[in-house]
Amino acid sequence: MGLKDNAISYGSTLVLSLLLLPLLHETEGCDMFTGRWVKDASYPLYDLSTCPFIRREFACKKNGRPDLDYPTFRWQPQDCKLARFNGVEFLEKNKGKKIMFVGDSLSLNQWQSLTCMLHSSVPNSPYNLTTQGTISTFTFQEYGVELKLDRNVYLVDIVREKIGRVLKLDSINDGHNWSEMDTLIFNTWHWWSRRGPSQPWDYIQLGTNVTKDMDRVAAFEIALGTWGKWVDTVVDTQKTKVFFQGISPSHYKGVLWGEPTAKSCAGQTEPLLGTSYPGGLPTEVGVLKRALGKISKPVTLLDITMLSLLRKDGHPSSYGLGGHTANDCSHWCLSGVPDTWNEILYNYMVY
């Protein structure tokens, strides 16, 4: 496995006219993650008619969402222009390669988005979708491109022992699932704060110390350190590109975006149109960047938190899996915000 590119880069600001600045990405001196959302009549890149396999939890339009502006916004970086996604070019560039997303349901969200973007680009090209254990594989047979998803919510191990299910912060045994990949996109955070019946472990272990619980942010950082050591020890970065998805935010507190009466994303129909989020970045973003900074091998951060924070309108809300009995302000409608994550990924992988 490997990555020939440069490592974690958070970009530098270049004050240049867009007219003078060609299609650049952050590794060439442009910060792709600072900008604003603009209306664009050429978006979205696909819809239900060109991507019929969108999962129910992301299919907001099919589930009856009445406002349809949310997919028509394009991310515009402040000092450059993203190359528009070209699915044929992506498939040609990655012919015969294996690309894997590893993480929780936000990884599923991004993986599903990319399968839709690509299928819509080559609608008559045959594909195959299989699932074996925790791994789903979407294959574009004509190109030999495999888009894989490994549902692994913590990256570190959960092991069943006599005392119960143990979350082992310093152990990764599932790494064999991630071998032989040409590109890896990792993600974790969404499950670290879970408690009660939805928490899938009973104890936390670090070394020989076993405890019922600990500070979740601290546990998250330790697990990221374990994963980082795995990258440094196992990954051949001359062969495999390694990305980290970044922290995908939720919108349950309107006071954070300057609307104190809003108790969630329900009823939100437009993004914040500025370049910053009133509530600032969540703590876990700094934790993630600190952990990535300790990895010696190259890992590229898809620093999607701020651009996603601006999209309080992008969630399923009551038009997701649970319908009007639920209010999902964590995942994202498709088409929608994850398409932009993948356009940025495209700019890294193709240019």
Side-chain angles (χ1 to χ4, degrees), residues 1 32 49 84 119 122 130 148 188 199 217 229 234 268 277 282 291 331 340-341 347:
M1 302 190 299
M32 290 191 286
S49 65
R84 185 181 175 90
H119 174 67
V122 288
T130 61
K148 293 176 173 287
T188 184
Q199 177 183 299
V217 175
K229 290 174 185 175
V234 176
Q268 298 294 322
Y277 189 69
H331 300 96
T340 293
W341 305 348
N347 275 257

Side-chain angles (χ1 to χ4, degrees), residues 59-133:
C60 302
K61 182 179 178 180
K62 185 176 181 180
N63 293 336
R65 181 167 175 171
D67 63 298
L68 298 178
D69 273 353
Y70 64 91
T72 66
F73 286 89
R74 173 178 57 81
W75 178 247
Q76 176 58 64
Q78 187 167 284
D79 299 312
C80 60
K81 185 177 180 181
L82 292 177
R84 185 181 175 90
F85 185 83
N86 183 319
V88 173
E89 187 175 19
F90 183 97
L91 290 167
E92 290 284 357
K93 184 82 171 182
N94 292 283
K95 186 171 285 188
K97 294 185 177 181
K98 297 177 181 179
I99 300 164
M100 176 177 273
F101 293 85
V102 183
D104 54 36
S105 52
L106 278 312
S107 290
L108 169 63
N109 221 166
Q110 187 176 5
W111 173 78
Q112 173 103 105
S113 162
L114 187 55
T115 62
C116 284
M117 292 166 76
L118 291 171
H119 174 67
S120 298
S121 300
V122 288
N124 297 317
S125 186
Y127 68 85
N128 185 43
L129 176 59
T130 61
T131 299
Q132 185 172 359

Side-chain angles (χ1 to χ4, degrees), residues 119-156:
H119 174 67
S120 298
S121 300
V122 288
N124 297 317
S125 186
Y127 68 85
N128 185 43
L129 176 59
T130 61
T131 299
Q132 185 172 359
T134 62
I135 299 174
S136 298
T137 303
F138 195 107
T139 304
F140 290 88
Q141 295 163 305
E142 182 181 349
Y143 298 90
V145 174
E146 295 183 14
L147 288 183
K148 293 176 173 287
L149 170 72
D150 184 8
R151 295 290 292 271
N152 185 314
V153 299
Y154 294 107
L155 300 184
V156 293

Side-chain angles (χ1 to χ4, degrees), residues 11 22 25 30 38 42 45 71 108 117 198 246 279 284 290 322 327:
H25 57 64
C30 175
V38 296
S42 68
L45 298 172
L108 169 63
M117 292 166 76
S198 66
E284 55 270 21
R290 186 164 61 241
N327 186 30

Side-chain angles (χ1 to χ4, degrees), residues 172-186:
I172 292 180
N173 287 318
D174 284 343
H176 62 276
N177 290 333
W178 314 334
S179 64
E180 307 304 322
M181 298 296 136
D182 298 284
T183 301
L184 288 164
I185 305 101
F186 290 94

Side-chain angles (χ1 to χ4, degrees), residues 79-312:
D79 299 312
C80 60
K81 185 177 180 181
L82 292 177
R84 185 181 175 90
F85 185 83
N86 183 319
V88 173
E89 187 175 19
F90 183 97
L91 290 167
E92 290 284 357
K93 184 82 171 182
N94 292 283
K95 186 171 285 188
K97 294 185 177 181
K98 297 177 181 179
I99 300 164
M100 176 177 273
F101 293 85
V102 183
D104 54 36
S105 52
L106 278 312
S107 290
L108 169 63
N109 221 166
Q110 187 176 5
W111 173 78
Q112 173 103 105
S113 162
L114 187 55
T115 62
C116 284
M117 292 166 76
L118 291 171
H119 174 67
S120 298
S121 300
V122 288
N124 297 317
S125 186
Y127 68 85
N128 185 43
L129 176 59
T130 61
T131 299
Q132 185 172 359
T134 62
I135 299 174
S136 298
T137 303
F138 195 107
T139 304
F140 290 88
Q141 295 163 305
E142 182 181 349
Y143 298 90
V145 174
E146 295 183 14
L147 288 183
K148 293 176 173 287
L149 170 72
D150 184 8
R151 295 290 292 271
N152 185 314
V153 299
Y154 294 107
L155 300 184
V156 293
D157 298 331
I158 298 177
V159 179
R160 286 189 175 274
E161 298 185 350
K162 289 182 179 180
I163 59 172
R165 303 163 299 174
V166 181
L167 177 63
K168 295 179 177 283
L169 296 181
D170 53 4
S171 173
I172 292 180
N173 287 318
D174 284 343
H176 62 276
N177 290 333
W178 314 334
S179 64
E180 307 304 322
M181 298 296 136
D182 298 284
T183 301
L184 288 164
I185 305 101
F186 290 94
N187 159 59
T188 184
W189 167 248
H190 191 56
W191 282 67
W192 285 92
S193 60
R194 291 212 176 187
R195 301 176 188 274
S198 66
Q199 177 183 299
W201 51 267
D202 304 303
Y203 296 88
I204 295 182
Q205 181 173 352
L206 179 61
T208 58
N209 184 42
V210 179
T211 181
K212 281 292 289 183
D213 209 344
M214 66 178 289
D215 181 274
R216 300 303 182 86
V217 175
F220 170 62
E221 186 163 11
I222 294 167
L224 287 175
T226 301
W227 168 78
K229 290 174 185 175
W230 177 87
V231 171
D232 278 339
T233 304
V234 176
V235 178
D236 180 355
T237 54
Q238 297 301 310
K239 297 178 181 177
T240 298
K241 295 182 179 179
V242 182
F243 294 89
F244 201 97
Q245 184 195 61
I247 303 296
S248 174
S250 58
H251 290 90
Y252 287 101
K253 296 179 180 179
V255 67
L256 294 177
W257 63 81
E259 192 178 345
T261 58
K263 304 304 180 185
S264 73
C265 66
Q268 298 294 322
T269 59
E270 60 182 25
L272 293 171
L273 298 179
T275 60
S276 63
Y277 189 69
L281 292 171
T283 303
E284 55 270 21
V285 174
V287 173
L288 171 61
K289 289 184 178 181
R290 186 164 61 241
L292 292 179
K294 296 176 182 178
I295 302 173
S296 61
K297 287 188 177 178
V299 177
T300 299
L301 174 62
L302 300 177
D303 197 3
I304 50 86
T305 307
M306 181 55 73
L307 68 88
S308 304
L309 278 169
L310 299 175
R311 292 306 306 270
K312 57 187 174 62

